[in-house]
Amino acid sequence: DVKVTQSSRYLVKRTGEKVFLECVQDMDHENMFWYRQDPGLGLRLIYFSYDVKMKEKGDIPEGYSVSREKKERFSLILESASTNQTSMYLCASSWASGANNEQFFGPGTRLTVL
Amino acid sequence: AQSVAQPEDQVNVAEGNPLTVKCTYSVSGNPYLFWYVQYPNRGLQFLLKYITGDNLVKGSYGFEAEFNKSQTSFHLKKPSALVSDSALYFCAVRDMEPSNTGKLIFGQGTTLQVKP
């Protein structure tokens, strides 16, 4: 089975802190994604990566950056956390293309910024 | 622009009754469609997908979905609901503009409440 793990289930940070969210997948997937999930807004794509060191902005990249130094690991960075970044963050991975490229999700990190 | 709509925020159904969770889409070209389920404080789990072929797709946990091209719909169904089916359900379509990058566009989600 595909396994996507995220470094923390729950995280509490202070405004202005630099925050790192880590995601690791074990299926050699090319694509990796970071979403945030807020009630009534569904899932919104922050960034995605289709290869090592490659990244593209999603729909809401402001205030975030990402890093993909190894194929299995995709990190989301909040440069200076703000209260409006309190949310559930979901990481996902998938094959690059073809019919079998449904996304597989990690358990999520619920981040609270005080 | 491509989009997915789930017109109902919540669906209530009695245990044992059939359930339907609605999804409509707008894409250029042939759609790749997906359903996911999310249990409380968990990530999303893949249920089923439509790529091509038979319009009735069967997935996990007894769920199925019917692709209807003329109505641009992909409704999720189950013949007999269980209390344990209560969860948040997301419909998604592959984002094909400008090309197939593997990105998905998600609907806003529908909460399914199955009552004993």
Side-chain angles (χ1 to χ4, degrees), chain A residues 60-113:
Chain A
I60 52 164
E62 296 79 18
Y64 303 94
S65 62
V66 290
S67 173
R68 195 168 180 197
E69 296 296 319
K70 294 184 178 182
K71 191 174 186 180
E72 67 271 18
R73 189 179 297 269
F74 191 36
S75 302
L76 179 69
I77 303 154
L78 286 65
E79 298 291 342
S80 178
S82 63
T83 54
N84 63 12
Q85 292 179 310
T86 292
S87 186
M88 170 72 102
Y89 290 87
L90 293 167
C91 175
S93 69
S94 74
W95 300 113
S97 62
N100 293 322
N101 58 349
E102 59 267 26
Q103 292 182 16
F104 293 87
F105 284 80
T109 295
R110 187 166 294 281
L111 173 67
T112 301
V113 182

Side-chain angles (χ1 to χ4, degrees), chain A residues 9-10 31 33 35 37 40-43 45 48 88 90 96 98-103 105-107 110, chain B residues 32 34 36 38 40-46 49 51 88 90 94 100-104 106-109:
Chain A
R9 291 299 305 275
Y10 299 93
N31 292 347
F33 307 84
Y35 296 90
Q37 180 181 12
L41 297 178
L43 273 71
L45 181 64
F48 77 101
M88 170 72 102
L90 293 167
N100 293 322
N101 58 349
E102 59 267 26
Q103 292 182 16
F105 284 80
R110 187 166 294 281
Chain B
Y32 287 8
F34 303 82
Y36 287 84
Q38 184 181 34
N41 296 313
R42 304 283 295 276
L44 275 67
Q45 294 179 33
F46 170 73
K49 65 183 177 184
I51 304 298
L88 182 58
F90 288 98
R94 176 73 42 76
N100 183 6
T101 59
K103 290 193 294 181
L104 296 179
F106 285 87
Q108 292 188 330

Side-chain angles (χ1 to χ4, degrees), chain B residues 3-7 22-25 91 107-108:
Chain B
S3 65
V4 174
Q6 294 180 241
K22 296 180 180 177
C23 172
T24 59
Y25 65 90
C91 180
Q108 292 188 330

Side-chain angles (χ1 to χ4, degrees), chain B residues 41-60:
Chain B
N41 296 313
R42 304 283 295 276
L44 275 67
Q45 294 179 33
F46 170 73
L47 275 179
L48 50 80
K49 65 183 177 184
Y50 173 82
I51 304 298
T52 186
D54 195 350
N55 288 345
L56 186 64
V57 179
K58 293 189 183 297
S60 305

Side-chain angles (χ1 to χ4, degrees), chain A residues 43-60:
Chain A
L43 273 71
R44 293 181 290 169
L45 181 64
I46 304 171
Y47 269 96
F48 77 101
S49 168
Y50 51 88
D51 202 350
V52 175
K53 296 190 186 295
M54 306 302 288
K55 61 185 179 185
E56 283 199 21
K57 294 179 179 179
D59 301 317
I60 52 164

